[in-house]
Amino acid sequence: MKKVVKFGGSSLASAEQFQKVGDIIRADESRRYVIPSAPGKRFTDDIKVTDMLYECYQAAAEKRKEFKNLLRCIQERYQEIIDGLGLSLSLEEEFSVIEQSFKNGAGEQYAASRGEFLNGKIMAAYLGYEFIDAAEVIIFDENGSFEADRTDEILSARLENVKTAVIPGFYGATEDGVVHTFSRGGSDVTGSIVAKAIKADLYENWTDVSGFLVADPRIIKDPQVIETITYRELRELSYMGATVLHEDAIFPVRKEGIPINIRNTNEPEDKGTFIVESTCRKPKYTITGVAGKKGFCSIYIEKSMMNAEIGFGRKVLQVFEEQGISFEHVPSGIDTMTVFVHQSEFEEKEQQVIAGIHRAVQPDVVEMESDLALVAVVGRGMRATRGTAGRIFSALAHANINVKMIDQGSSELNIIIGVKDSDFETAIKAIYDIFIMTQI
Amino acid sequence: MKKVVKFGGSSLASAEQFQKVGDIIRADESRRYVIPSAPGKRFTDDIKVTDMLYECYQAAAEKRKEFKNLLRCIQERYQEIIDGLGLSLSLEEEFSVIEQSFKNGAGEQYAASRGEFLNGKIMAAYLGYEFIDAAEVIIFDENGSFEADRTDEILSARLENVKTAVIPGFYGATEDGVVHTFSRGGSDVTGSIVAKAIKADLYENWTDVSGFLVADPRIIKDPQVIETITYRELRELSYMGATVLHEDAIFPVRKEGIPINIRNTNEPEDKGTFIVESTCRKPKYTITGVAGKKGFCSIYIEKSMMNAEIGFGRKVLQVFEEQGISFEHVPSGIDTMTVFVHQSEFEEKEQQVIAGIHRAVQPDVVEMESDLALVAVVGRGMRATRGTAGRIFSALAHANINVKMIDQGSSELNIIIGVKDSDFETAIKAIYDIFIMTQI
């Protein structure tokens, strides 16, 4: 049994948190490969070490005096953890290398990566695990793109005879040693890559929540935790703005059929959420989750006899493609089609797109509406339960929400609903209430 | 005030019906331009004159003896009307021209057109209106395509100083005199073209039903009549299989903003259905109508990270386009899209399309489902009424219908629902009941 365990920043923000993590790891000897994040916030207004590193590197780049002070603050932060854990570890050497590298302009990504690097050093010392620098095993190409196959090769070879190890998350390097990072939250990705490389039985992702939530806690107070979610459902919910796990973290383990278990460092008894390829376990509620995003706009196109014109839809979509705009949904009626796009992508190219549509298909009417939100109601249970759509739309009607778009394809795994931005939170609440609150 | 009045075949099947038509026309002197169809069925198993003409022409073309007998039967049919009306009109000359033309191979379209031509002769004599041969004023090009602009020019000039006239429906001719017909039911089109040319105030279309029905009477017993429907709504319902009016009949009058009034020759007191460009009249029910078609299939495509791939949707649609297949709907989820097409168009090209999709976008999964029906719930009243979608889907759930697809664009004028072919009638019934029966 081999598990990869990744701990988020808040799980490693202080010595106290480190001890919780240590207890968790020691409680199960299959927890052999540990992926730490950089120390997160200890309290609400605290600063994450990664942010301190960015600020410090900025000061170094601008040759501002406070650079040294800022670096010392970071070192103190780590020292506090070391002291709190009663370790004899010294990071003097590491910090002098970092100071020199910052002065030499090693780059922002290098700077940012030191948070995980140093935390990994402490974690390895604390656990008595081998420290493996991610720069040696997580490979990027010269353009800063992650090289999946090469990494898999190097990483699996490197770990083959290593029983236990700490590999810092978030970063890697080119084979020439230039450090690159994943996007923010990228330690999740590292954990997933390591799990894939060693063909782990489970990838545990320890955070500060007891799993993946049915709805955004900023909108719903104390939402229910999802017990089991499929990769597909998760991908749909995360695409729609639900967060816990970095989106790119899904693909490496999914390919290998390795389940992910989202756990809470502060509540290690909670079972958290299992993310699996597929399951015949009946979901607790009809819906697995509801999520959404604001900031869409719709371009409505009307043309008499459009439906008789082969290639109409393709020509319209090509106009968007030529402007580099990806579309989200294309609901269509008779002689009408609507294209939903991200407002931010669309806004500056609006006039080119409209002109392009006129040239391409000579529409009778083109109308735009902005400030729209999309809500995705996702759940494998919806397939088996008749009346889901009826419940959703009745609930939205009772909440006085105007439904701007409905899109349900034959996956029967989700229904996507367009509403006004201003109705977004109300819509999420209405859907959560009808499926979860009425059933609790 | 100028009205164009068109009468369908059943309104002109016998002398008795002709008398009803005569009463209707004489009751309103603005009914100045009359478009007759060919005589339709007098009783259930009767044969329409147009079908008799096709059969007769076939016999002539194959030089079969019964040709003369068949032609005589047709002539008797007209003579019965002439006698019943007490007219002194003789069609001997017309029939000898027809006999000669049939022998000379004048063509099937010419043959079919004689039903309206002859009925027009009788109608003109009966009303004392001028007879204008459609072959002189409804213009087709050499390929048999209707020439809208040329027709408008000739027709409006020809009718400028004609107070009252009968113009047979269904056919026209090239400027060289070769007769062409519209597709079956094309008298509706003629009426619409005439109404446009003379800028009529109203185009009355007299049939054997008291207007456009909320649902198909073959599915719903005695469905309600729609009082007012917009061209848009009508186009949507007729596209989806609802029939009363020939589809091409809408466009000429729509361009001019001329309302159409569907009326019942047998119930002339009924107000029928007004088809208008737009109206602020509140509809009687939330939905204006419900209609649908069977015989669709869906092609479901799944690919990880599809949503991040600009051009994905366009490439898929291009595959269909290259095979000459038009798509009906493209509902999409996250990383999934489904293409709904007509089964009849798709079936023989199925394998080419699937291969094309694989080449174009390397999908993870492609699945097909056939024998699907699409149901369109249409109504301008849906815009103003919240909860329409909820009522629809609750009703479908109560009727145990699995919803395969939902598509609602921002027109808010319709919701299109995919169900199994076998659930089609039940779905229409459920929707009719929830919106109409519960409100009566």
Side-chain angles (χ1 to χ4, degrees), chain A residues 147-195:
Chain A
E147 295 225 57
D149 293 343
R150 186 80 184 116
T151 297
D152 202 50
E153 198 181 310
I154 291 178
L155 194 53
S156 54
R158 177 71 178 82
L159 293 178
E160 203 177 355
N161 297 308
V162 176
K163 193 166 178 283
T164 55
V166 172
I167 306 158
F170 186 42
Y171 74 97
T174 65
E175 298 201 51
D176 296 340
V178 179
V179 167
H180 285 282
T181 58
F182 294 109
S183 58
R184 211 91 203 237
S187 293
D188 286 336
V189 185
T190 308
S192 181
I193 291 164
V194 173

Side-chain angles (χ1 to χ4, degrees), chain B residues 399-427:
Chain B
N400 277 327
I401 290 164
N402 237 319
V403 173
K404 295 280 175 182
M405 184 207 78
I406 307 173
D407 198 339
Q408 187 213 300
S410 54
S411 84
E412 293 174 67
L413 196 67
N414 64 44
I415 296 182
I416 292 168
I417 303 146
V419 299
K420 280 187 199 159
D421 268 357
S422 56
D423 282 335
F424 176 68
E425 285 82 6
T426 321

Side-chain angles (χ1 to χ4, degrees), chain A residues 235 302 314 321 335 406, chain B residues 232 235 314 321 335:
Chain A
R235 159 80 179 138
E302 187 181 317
R314 192 268 306 160
E321 186 182 347
D335 298 342
I406 306 172
Chain B
R232 269 294 300 283
R235 158 82 179 139
R314 191 268 306 158
E321 186 182 345
D335 298 342

Side-chain angles (χ1 to χ4, degrees), chain B residues 36-68:
Chain B
S37 298
K41 292 181 182 184
R42 291 158 296 183
F43 42 86
T44 310
D45 291 332
D46 199 14
I47 302 170
K48 290 181 181 177
V49 165
T50 305
D51 290 322
M52 294 169 84
L53 284 161
Y54 278 120
E55 200 192 343
C56 176
Y57 182 74
Q58 198 59 36
E62 291 166 6
K63 302 197 192 309
R64 278 187 276 124
K65 269 187 298 191
E66 65 262 42
F67 157 56
K68 282 210 127 187

Side-chain angles (χ1 to χ4, degrees), chain A residues 365-381:
Chain A
V365 177
V366 178
E367 275 166 14
M368 285 175 284
E369 182 166 4
S370 58
D371 302 314
L372 296 174
L374 293 179
V375 175
V377 186
V378 173
R380 59 192 186 282

